[in-house]
Amino acid sequence: KPIVLYLGRIDKDKSIDVIIKAIPLVSKEIEVHFAIAGGGDELVKIKSLAQKIGVEKSVTFLGSIKHQSDDLPLVYQAASLFAMPSCIETQSIVTLEALSSGLPLVAANATSMPEFIDHGNNGLLFDPADSEMMAKQIISILKDPAKAKSMGEGSRKYALMHSIEKTYEKFEKLYELVVSRFDKIPGNEIALE
């Protein structure tokens, strides 16, 4: 079965309920299993929601996985697709890790997610809090193995643009630009000693 993975905090602001509510919609169309890795204040509530709507057999709660754990890359490698329902992501290291693992993504069209996802190229976006649209996007990718493979390759290409060296290079150019503009304002000369 394909595996849809979410990895991260399980707190109210991460909107994990959106994934849980998408599970029965996806399961009607395709045989799939969901894996939710992480811990947080909402874990008990999310497990209870899964039982309440009858999807507890379609989802495995993996618990917390330490970032330094040797298991972390294996979790990404076992997945077929990465899902991010959160509307509060600013950097989303886990999304970048999913990209570098070559996973297609389905994510809420909010905050930093449109920067990570070139809609149709390496994943699909959905309206925030819309479980039905999230389910449709997941189904669209998983029902088309060629599309999933192509999007996974697109994810890897995108991730390669985010190497630490390239990030430092961009920051350095940005700082140089700010300093050069600041120096041109009368009275703002910077003394470098």
Side-chain angles (χ1 to χ4, degrees), residues 132-150:
E132 188 175 325
M133 189 175 182
M134 180 187 208
K136 286 178 182 175
Q137 304 298 46
I138 291 169
I139 292 164
S140 170
I141 294 171
L142 294 181
K143 272 194 162 182
D144 187 343
K147 178 193 274 187
K149 183 177 187 229
S150 174

Side-chain angles (χ1 to χ4, degrees), residues 163-181:
S163 71
I164 193 71
E165 294 82 12
K166 289 182 181 178
T167 301
Y168 284 144
E169 188 178 298
K170 285 179 183 178
F171 273 120
E172 186 176 15
K173 287 179 181 176
L174 181 61
Y175 287 136
E176 288 171 357
L177 177 65
V178 169
V179 168
S180 72
R181 288 184 179 173

Side-chain angles (χ1 to χ4, degrees), residues 96-101 154-163:
L96 190 53
E97 289 172 346
L99 289 166
S100 66
S101 298
S155 288
R156 282 286 299 141
K157 288 177 187 172
Y158 182 86
L160 291 172
M161 295 187 313
H162 286 272
S163 71

